[in-house]
């Protein structure tokens, strides 16, 4: 569909982070890395940041106006109560207000069969939304795992993953096999949610990508940050391009 001679950009909702109030900055602020929206724009989408709301009608109306949803990551953990577990050692900071909002938006987007991309913590939330569970701390629960919190430039990769054949992920990045990814997480998928399959795994067995089993509904979660490597490892841009292409088919 063309608009004034150009391929129409589908509207893409992107969830923001929120700052925790401090004495010096008592009012919370929405905060998000520009790389997410930059990647959506480069992929042909029109990104919009979604302010939080606990009003179900407002969330419905957000999704009336968009054709796809990106659930982003951040320096916080999902409350274990969201997947039926008690808090364990080395659990990180929680942002229950953010998690509650993102879970509400995500579940409604899935009901509507909107294309969904979950990035890093967004992949973990996707797994929880499908009834899966999480490793609360890789270092504690998987002592033989390799480091998954890189210290160097995050536009550069940390380790390879194995992309499974005949998957949406393989379609996005140009085929099955090895893909170099960055790594900034201390949690990971444990039990995979019903309705999801694993499409990417790191050499130490940590799950790096999950996706929906319904091939006509784009649902993909990646544990790394492809938006930070669209220039250094170009197949990563294909994740956003394929997602935006599917969103364009929604005609919003």
């Amino acid at each position: 569909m063309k608009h004034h001679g150009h391929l129409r950009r589908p509207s893409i909702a992107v969830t923001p982070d929120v700052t925790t109030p401090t004495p010096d900055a008592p009012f919370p602020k929405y905060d998000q890395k520009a790389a997410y929206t930059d990647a959506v724009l480069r992929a042909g989408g029109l990104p919009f940041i979604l302010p939080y709301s606990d009003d179900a009608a407002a969330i419905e109306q957000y999704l009336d106006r968009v054709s796809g949803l990106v659930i982003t990551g951040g320096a916080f953990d999902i409350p274990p109560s969201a997947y039926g577990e008690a808090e364990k050692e080395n659990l990180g900071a929680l942002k229950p207000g953010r998690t509650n909002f993102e879970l509400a938006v995500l579940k409604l987007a899935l009901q509507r069969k909107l294309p969904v991309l979950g990035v890093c913590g967004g992949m973990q939330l996707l797994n929880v939304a499908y009834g899966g569970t999480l490793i609360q701390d890789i270092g504690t629960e998987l002592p033989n795992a390799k480091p998954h919190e890189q210290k160097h430039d995050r536009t550069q990769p940390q380790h390879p993953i194995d992309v499974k054949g005949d998957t949406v992920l393989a379609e996005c990045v140009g085929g099955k096999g090895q893909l170099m990814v960055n790594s900034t997480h201390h949690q990971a998928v444990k039990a995979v949610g019903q309705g999801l399959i694993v499409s990417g795994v790191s050499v130490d067995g940590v799950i790096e990508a999950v996706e929906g089993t319904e091939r006509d509904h784009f649902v993909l979660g990646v544990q790394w940050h492809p938006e930070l490597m669209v220039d250094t490892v170009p197949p990563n841009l294909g994740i956003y391009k394929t997602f935006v292409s599917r969103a364009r088919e929604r005609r919003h």
Side-chain angles (χ1 to χ4, degrees), residues 61-78:
Q61 290 180 46
Y62 278 158
L63 295 182
D64 285 343
R65 290 161 168 79
V66 300
S67 303
L69 172 66
V70 180
I71 301 287
T72 63
F76 72 104
D77 291 349
I78 295 167

Side-chain angles (χ1 to χ4, degrees), residues 12-30:
I12 304 295
V14 180
T15 59
D17 199 6
V18 67
T19 61
T20 301
T22 65
D24 293 333
F27 302 107
K29 297 177 184 176
Y30 289 121

Side-chain angles (χ1 to χ4, degrees), residues 137-187:
D137 181 66
I138 293 171
T140 307
E141 297 181 47
L142 296 176
N144 295 323
K146 296 185 180 297
H148 283 265
E149 294 181 272
Q150 73 187 60
K151 306 301 182 194
H152 61 275
D153 180 359
R154 291 176 180 181
T155 66
Q156 302 299 320
Q158 164 84 347
H159 63 78
I161 67 164
D162 178 47
V163 177
K164 306 292 184 186
D166 192 30
T167 59
V168 172
L169 179 60
E171 177 191 339
C172 290
V173 300
K176 66 178 183 178
Q178 188 180 99
L179 177 71
M180 296 301 294
V181 302
N182 55 19
S183 193
T184 64
H185 60 109
H186 86 107
Q187 295 197 309

